[in-house]
Amino acid sequence: MRKICLLAASLLFAGAAGAQTDLSDLAERAASQLADAARSLEAAEGARDRVRALTATVQAYEEGLSALRAGMRQAASEERVQTAVLAAREEDVARLLGALTAIEGSPAPLLLLHPSGPLGTARSGMMMSEITPELMAEADALRTELQKLAVLRALQESARDSLLDGMRGAQDARTALSQAMADRTDLPMRFTADPERMRQLTQTAASMDDFATGLKQIGPGIADVTGFEDQKGTLPLPVQSVLLRGYDEADAAGVARPGLLLATRPGALVTAPWDGTIRYVGPLLDYGNVIILEPADGILLVLAGLGIVYGKPGGVVQAGDALGLMGGAADEEFLAGNQVGGGTERSETLYMELRQGELPVDPAEWFAPTKGD
């Protein structure tokens, strides 16, 4: 029989190859996505349309980081389960190791002797032949559980390193995108805004209803319908997010607003769901930084709560164009990434309101349902 020290070593340091799960595949795919995003960031430096290239790069980073976090959450969850299983078996493990130690500590000839003579010796030998395989089976089961735990912890350590590198790359891409947007001089303009009338409107409007009504009287709307209404139920959300509150759903203070509240991560990229004209950019009432798009005549899409907003009133955007970034610092995002499952990952919120004619409508009817990670 193998020495107890060899058994303990095999239990603790056995190869993890046989215990690989879907989690390792997920981690590898996420790492591959992040590597592709890093290459895209380098390629974007010389791209002809650098803004579009950087926008795609930021999105690639966000998708890779999202997949990585999902894998880390799953690994952390399975580690908790595995740890609980081992803790519940603590007494059994102690008895198992005690029995194996006793067997190992007794010389083989003595194990075959019995005080009652040859018959007792024969019976004890039969009992040992039955017990030993069971003990080894338990040892094998324990070895498997420890292997799983070791794999899960190794995956999480590796994922944390990839997460940190990925977030640094994502932050570099966001910074480059913001600079490219600031340097851009070829943005198409549908009309030139009247700054004075806009300033007066922002000062006198008491509500979003007032502002939307006054906005329609400042500057021309778009000349034709762009097919926005045909996209009802299929539009992508403007940011990678999960739904926090629905249309007209009251918050903890009992305040209800006619829009959707989306929980996002710090620095998340906000893009245009459809082609449209920028009607307003800047702070508004108590909504924070706001950008209002007109994707079709008489329809306004309000996005509020951004940290950085791109574009100017009168500018034309296409579906998928960058509109801005959510607020929040990179170190907050890093801490959120290390508190997987702790509820702090999506610390920013984007408010989205869709107004058709004079009244707001439920945006959920226009946007395709998505699953947040």
Side-chain angles (χ1 to χ4, degrees):
M1 186 174 291
R2 289 169 295 180
K3 300 291 183 181
I4 291 301
C5 60
L6 293 178
L7 174 62
S10 68
L11 287 173
L12 294 174
F13 302 110
Q20 291 292 335
T21 65
D22 291 341
L23 287 173
S24 59
D25 295 334
L26 179 58
E28 288 179 5
R29 288 197 299 271
S32 177
Q33 285 179 297
L34 292 175
D36 291 342
R39 287 190 290 270
S40 297
L41 180 57
E42 293 180 2
E45 295 299 322
R48 182 177 180 182
D49 190 342
R50 190 160 178 261
V51 169
R52 277 199 171 273
L54 288 169
T55 300
T57 298
V58 173
Q59 291 173 324
Y61 267 115
E62 290 186 349
E63 290 172 4
L65 289 171
S66 177
L68 194 57
R69 288 189 182 96
M72 290 179 70
R73 274 197 298 271
Q74 189 177 345
S77 176
E78 292 195 16
E79 181 189 1
R80 287 193 294 270
V81 171
Q82 201 64 38
T83 301
V85 168
L86 289 172
R89 292 193 57 194
E90 185 174 357
E91 291 185 8
D92 293 339
V93 171
R95 284 196 295 268
L96 170 63
L97 293 178
L100 291 173
T101 302
I103 293 173
E104 180 64 25
S106 300
L110 293 180
L111 293 175
L112 299 178
L113 297 178
H114 195 275
S116 63
L119 182 58
T121 299
R123 288 175 176 171
S124 66
M126 294 174 62
M127 292 175 63
M128 286 298 298
S129 66
E130 292 179 358
I131 293 174
T132 301
E134 292 183 5
L135 290 175
M136 296 312 299
E138 286 192 43
D140 288 339
L142 179 60
R143 180 187 299 110
T144 300
E145 290 171 0
L146 288 170
Q147 285 175 350
K148 290 179 181 178
L149 192 58
V151 168
L152 291 170
R153 287 177 176 169
L155 282 171
Q156 290 184 82
E157 287 301 320
S158 175
R160 285 189 182 96
D161 292 339
S162 297
L163 184 67
L164 180 56
D165 290 342
M167 285 190 294
R168 287 171 177 163
Q171 188 59 35
D172 289 343
R174 289 164 182 151
T175 301
L177 175 60
S178 295
Q179 186 61 53
M181 290 296 296
D183 295 341
R184 193 170 188 177
T185 58
D186 59 344
L187 285 173
M189 301 292 290
R190 192 176 299 277
F191 64 87
T192 301
D194 187 331
E196 180 57 27
R197 292 185 66 186
M198 189 66 72
R199 185 186 65 80
Q200 291 177 0
L201 177 59
T202 56
Q203 289 180 347
T204 57
S207 66
M208 184 62 75
D209 287 338
D210 291 345
F211 188 82
T213 300
L215 190 62
K216 292 176 182 178
Q217 302 170 5
I218 299 178
I222 64 174
D224 57 343
V225 176
T226 61
F228 179 78
E229 293 179 334
D230 297 333
Q231 306 303 312
K232 190 171 184 178
T234 66
L235 293 168
L237 287 174
V239 66
Q240 194 177 89
S241 59
V242 294
L243 180 64
L244 191 61
R245 276 197 297 276
Y247 180 79
D248 256 349
E249 183 179 343
D251 60 17
V255 178
R257 281 179 168 169
L260 305 182
L261 191 64
L262 305 173
T264 80
R265 291 192 176 90
L269 177 67
V270 181
T271 59
W274 194 249
D275 303 352
T277 303
I278 300 175
R279 296 304 309 274
Y280 177 78
V281 173
L284 179 61
L285 301 170
D286 60 345
Y287 290 87
N289 271 339
V290 174
I291 183 167
I292 299 179
L293 300 182
E294 188 176 17
D297 192 16
I299 296 179
L300 296 177
L301 176 64
V302 180
L303 301 173
L306 293 85
I308 299 174
V309 186
Y310 304 140
K312 298 178 181 179
V316 177
V317 297
Q318 296 180 332
D321 280 356
L323 299 179
L325 299 172
M326 298 302 297
D331 58 341
E332 292 176 4
E333 183 181 9
F334 172 70
L335 291 173
N338 280 282
Q339 296 171 358
V340 177
T344 60
E345 294 178 58
R346 298 184 184 274
S347 58
E348 302 299 309
T349 54
L350 180 74
Y351 175 70
M352 180 170 66
E353 191 172 301
L354 188 65
R355 307 184 72 90
Q356 193 169 18
E358 298 295 325
L359 301 173
V361 296
D362 188 354
E365 298 177 0
W366 288 77
F367 289 83
T370 59
K371 291 183 178 180
D373 60 284

